[in-house]
Amino acid sequence: MHRGRRSFGVMMGVLLVLVLAAGRAASASNGKGREGRTVAHGKAARRSTASKAVSHRVAGHRAVAHRAVAHRAVTHGAGARHASLHASTTTTVRVHGRLVHRRVRYYERFTESSFADDITAGDVTAGEDPVVRQAAITALGNMNGTALAIDPSNGRILAMVNQKLALSAGAEPCSTIKIAVSLAALKEGLVKANTPVNLGGHYSLDMTHALAKSVNLYFEVLGRAMGFERVKYYANMFGLGELAGYNIPGEHLGVYPDVVLPQKDGGVGRMCSFGESISMTPLQLGALVSAIANGGTLYYLQHPTSQAEVANYVPQIKRQLDIANVIPQILPGMQGAVDFSNGTARSLRTNFDQFPVFGKTGTCSNNGTRYGWFASYANTPNGRIVTVIFLEGGRPTYGPKAAELTGQFYRAMYDGGYFNPKAPTEQALTSGR
């Protein structure tokens, strides 16, 4: 009798464990995605003939496991100096021949403050556009970061707030590296913007949605398919690893490594999803986005230091990038980041929705410091303008926050009448031509 009760109790315990496990799995599969998450949720895209062709090409490079690294922070929220963070990422493992997505939670402590008292100290401003500069200062507020505004038609820096940080050695590009990886994959003919790429099992995704939602696994697959040498070739062509400015005092050089990240640390896949082992400067990212905005001309960025230099401004072309034919394919994903309901930069629209903005967020962390990137360009009534906002700090610092501040930047200029139609003479003076 006692043995029967014990058997019945064991059976009930096993059933309870199975039910709880199923509940946790369902909860994980139904959770909302955040920027940097490896696996996006929702109904799988239907495979096309193109998808099968790509799947064959990348089959040998598909990630079977995407392990969490303890210093990666991808969740958002408010916090203060020395704030700690419980974060999560998604790991993909193969169980009995099937890919299973599991959420892994970890703990991270930040030691850098997201706020600063005077970020403009030492800035050289005599050659900047005062309206643009004030809008950038207003947008940053007391956040510890830098804001860069560029005229993509000639490479002129209209404003550079917190020049010490903007001209520093840079930081890990986080998910903004996906812009360069997308252009490289398109130029290699590996995919088109609407090509569904199989990421394992019945899960497929195209570039437009992978960019908008910043799906890491998609870019890991592309990176592995291209290989390190091709990825590095395009990154260097796009200006990573070299000075972006033309005779700008104090500019430091970013780093694009000559050797691939060790496989135990994620290899080329992690370099293409997070930019790990790469150091990129705000100027380098601004120059690349400017080339996208103007159709393929990579200008040296110039920072006039007087109104005389503005009046005598002469653009300096570094090189022509053969990307004009693929730019239209990258734009839907960059616009989707801002306009999709689950786009990583949708916070920009909280403050501004007057004209189209195309951009890419980035969030990651290293050694107790969290990074937040947002690079974009906007189609305005007076032409295009490129912005890069880069933030350093703790828990309040992340890519969507940089996007939100960019919306405030555009709002301040819009409310100040900056985008009102200008007379031809005024237009020439403000553009430096």
Side-chain angles (χ1 to χ4, degrees):
M1 183 68 176
H2 292 295
R3 183 180 304 171
R5 288 177 179 174
R6 284 197 298 270
S7 299
F8 177 78
V10 170
M11 291 177 63
M12 291 302 294
V14 171
L15 287 173
L16 179 60
V17 169
L18 291 175
V19 169
L20 290 175
R24 284 194 295 268
S27 175
S29 65
N30 291 327
K32 293 183 178 179
R34 298 180 183 223
E35 194 216 345
R37 180 165 293 172
T38 304
V39 178
H41 306 293
K43 187 175 293 184
R46 183 174 299 174
R47 295 186 194 177
S48 63
T49 303
S51 172
K52 294 177 181 177
V54 174
S55 297
H56 274 298
R57 187 168 177 182
V58 303
H61 310 277
R62 184 174 300 133
V64 174
H66 183 65
R67 296 179 175 86
V69 176
H71 69 255
R72 287 285 170 263
V74 296
T75 57
H76 315 313
R81 184 173 177 84
H82 301 300
S84 59
L85 175 68
H86 288 283
S88 66
T89 188
T90 304
T91 301
T92 305
V93 295
R94 190 176 295 277
V95 178
H96 301 304
R98 296 181 59 191
L99 289 176
V100 178
H101 311 309
R102 293 176 177 171
R103 183 177 297 175
V104 178
R105 297 187 64 84
Y106 55 91
Y107 174 87
E108 184 171 24
R109 183 176 180 83
F110 297 114
T111 56
E112 184 75 16
S113 175
S114 292
F115 309 102
D117 294 329
D118 187 5
I119 61 175
T120 64
D123 284 1
V124 178
T125 65
E128 296 190 357
D129 185 309
V131 177
V132 177
R133 179 172 179 81
Q134 186 55 54
I137 292 173
T138 299
L140 278 175
N142 66 344
M143 295 294 291
N144 180 19
T146 180
L148 188 67
I150 304 166
D151 182 346
S153 70
N154 57 22
R156 177 191 165 192
I157 295 176
L158 301 172
M160 180 165 46
V161 178
N162 194 352
Q163 293 166 16
K164 182 179 179 180
L165 180 57
L167 300 175
S168 68
E172 189 170 319
C174 312
S175 288
T176 62
I177 195 66
K178 292 167 182 171
I179 296 175
V181 174
S182 295
L183 290 172
L186 291 168
K187 286 303 299 179
E188 286 288 291
L190 184 62
V191 292
K192 293 184 178 179
N194 60 355
T195 303
V197 174
N198 180 259
L199 303 181
H202 298 289
Y203 177 50
S204 297
L205 202 66
D206 61 28
M207 179 177 289
T208 295
H209 290 84
L211 271 174
K213 298 188 288 185
S214 202
V215 179
N216 295 330
L217 184 55
Y218 176 92
F219 294 94
E220 291 189 8
V221 169
L222 294 189
R224 291 187 177 98
M226 287 186 286
F228 173 72
E229 292 302 326
R230 297 308 292 167
V231 169
K232 175 178 168 56
Y233 167 79
Y234 283 102
N236 292 156
M237 180 192 298
F238 298 152
L240 300 187
E242 62 186 26
L243 292 177
Y246 185 81
N247 293 334
I248 299 181
E251 182 189 5
H252 286 73
L253 182 65
V255 175
Y256 199 94
D258 291 324
V259 296
V260 66
L261 188 71
Q263 192 59 43
K264 66 181 179 62
D265 297 323
V268 67
R270 196 151 185 93
M271 297 179 75
C272 291
S273 61
F274 271 113
E276 189 154 335
S277 78
I278 301 166
S279 180
M280 181 182 68
T281 70
L283 269 66
Q284 289 170 339
L285 182 57
L288 175 56
V289 175
S290 294
I292 294 172
N294 67 35
T297 302
L298 186 65
Y299 284 104
Y300 282 104
L301 301 186
Q302 297 183 71
H303 184 230
T305 57
S306 68
Q307 287 304 306
E309 289 185 14
V310 173
N312 297 300
Y313 187 89
V314 177
Q316 301 290 333
I317 297 176
K318 180 183 286 190
R319 54 182 166 269
Q320 293 292 149
L321 303 179
D322 184 21
I323 59 174
N325 63 325
V326 297
I327 288 175
Q329 296 192 62
I330 198 176
L331 295 184
M334 294 178 68
Q335 187 171 17
V338 176
D339 292 338
F340 286 0
S341 61
N342 56 357
T344 60
R346 60 188 181 276
S347 55
L348 184 148
R349 292 303 189 199
T350 303
N351 300 297
F352 190 78
D353 60 1
Q354 271 62 35
F355 42 70
V357 178
F358 306 81
K360 182 71 193 76
T361 56
T363 306
C364 57
S365 59
N366 190 17
N367 294 326
T369 300
R370 201 176 189 191
Y371 306 130
W373 293 90
F374 184 63
S376 67
Y377 80 85
N379 279 334
T380 83
N382 295 326
R384 295 178 175 177
I385 184 170
V386 169
T387 62
V388 176
I389 290 185
F390 170 60
L391 306 173
E392 288 186 334
R395 194 174 177 190
T397 296
Y398 50 102
K401 182 64 177 179
E404 177 187 336
L405 300 184
T406 303
Q408 295 178 12
F409 167 76
Y410 287 130
R411 168 56 61 189
M413 291 204 296
Y414 185 87
D415 290 346
Y418 186 84
F419 300 118
N420 293 342
K422 298 177 181 179
T425 302
E426 184 183 3
Q427 180 90 27
L429 287 174
T430 56
S431 64
R433 290 176 290 176

